[in-house]
């Protein structure tokens, strides 16, 4: 959803593809690179693609279960910036994304004695909020970030 929203506000010529079939980054002037957060960093497929990107102007976006203004989200930002450090990262947008209900159920059962992952009221509230995302505001905010990047690229 976030990728489609960003794609729709970028100027032509443009292409969009899932990470599995993403083209050689070398062939592009600008790349919008997306990921979902898995264990505190970008998911593996996105990480593998990121290692191929060098000396490019890029905009980065991702979804996560945590709140975008949390310490955890900032750690994710730092890790992703490190993965892409050979590039000019023009901005990095994060918003919440719903977490697979099966995973939530499994975590609640298997991690109930783990202080970091047990189902606290705070955690339940965060997951409930994540269920509503990405929402219309997230998509608009992602578009604003990338429209601003386009303005900077043209200056
Ligand atoms: C296996 C797994 C690991 C996850 N790890 C994290 C994590 O470390 N931090 C976090 O904030 N969210 C985590 N999440 C939540 C995902 O980031 C969230 O569900 C995702 O952004 C949804 O993206 P998608 O709909 O494109 O799959 C995890 C989800 C799964 C399924």
């Amino acid at each position: 959803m976030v990728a489609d929203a960003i794609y729709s506000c970028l100027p032509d010529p443009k292409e969009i593809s899932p990470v599995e079939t993403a083209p050689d980054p070398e062939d592009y002037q600008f790349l919008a690179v997306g990921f979902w957060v898995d264990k505190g960093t970008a998911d593996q497929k996105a990480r593998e693609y990121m290692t191929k990107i060098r000396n490019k102007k890029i905009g980065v976006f991702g979804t996560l279960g945590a709140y975008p203004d949390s310490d955890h989200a900032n750690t994710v930002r730092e890790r992703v910036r490190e993965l892409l450090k050979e590039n000019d990262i023009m901005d990095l947008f994060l918003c919440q994304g719903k977490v697979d209900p099966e995973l939530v159920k499994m975590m609640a059962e298997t991690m109930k004695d783990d202080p970091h992952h047990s189902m606290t009221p705070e955690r339940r509230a965060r997951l409930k909020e994540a269920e509503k995302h990405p929402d219309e505001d997230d998509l608009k905010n992602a578009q604003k970030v990338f429209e601003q990047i386009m303005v900077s690229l043209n200056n």
Side-chain angles (χ1 to χ4, degrees):
M1 286 169 73
V2 181
D4 283 338
I6 291 169
Y7 181 71
S8 73
C9 78
L10 295 178
D12 289 316
K14 58 186 173 182
E15 284 170 38
I16 183 169
S17 52
V19 67
E20 291 84 356
T21 53
D24 185 347
E26 265 316 300
D27 300 340
Y28 295 83
Q29 270 181 352
F30 173 78
L31 297 158
V33 187
F35 61 90
W36 62 276
V37 175
D38 183 4
K39 293 179 229 60
T41 186
D43 67 277
Q44 190 184 347
K45 286 180 187 168
R47 286 202 313 273
E48 279 166 17
Y49 188 66
M50 287 173 184
T51 63
K52 298 186 203 163
I53 312 173
R54 279 192 198 97
N55 304 319
K56 291 280 165 192
K57 289 190 186 292
I58 57 176
V60 190
F61 62 95
T63 61
L64 78 171
Y67 295 121
D69 62 356
S70 61
D71 289 346
H72 181 68
N74 286 335
T75 303
V76 170
R77 287 185 180 89
E78 278 170 29
R79 289 178 180 154
V80 171
R81 282 186 180 279
E82 177 66 24
L83 289 167
L84 289 163
K85 67 178 176 207
E86 290 179 47
N87 298 278
D88 179 2
I89 302 171
M90 307 209 46
D91 213 336
L92 198 168
F93 173 82
L94 288 181
C95 68
Q96 273 191 303
K98 58 182 98 28
V99 184
D100 180 354
E102 283 303 311
L103 179 82
V104 173
K105 221 169 106 190
M106 188 271 282
M107 294 253 293
E109 281 159 21
T110 57
M111 307 258 195
K112 57 182 188 296
D113 300 322
D114 175 331
H116 294 296
H117 293 101
S118 61
M119 192 54 77
T120 59
E122 189 275 336
R123 189 176 193 84
R124 202 180 294 281
R126 176 157 34 84
L127 288 165
K128 211 169 156 46
E129 182 60 33
E131 268 175 36
K132 301 180 215 153
H133 294 266
D135 63 12
E136 279 303 310
D137 281 348
D138 295 327
L139 301 183
K140 277 193 201 125
N141 288 334
Q143 288 181 328
K144 272 190 215 150
V145 165
F146 278 77
E147 280 163 359
Q148 194 50 51
I149 292 176
M150 290 303 116
V151 171
S152 311
L153 279 177
N154 287 327
N155 286 337

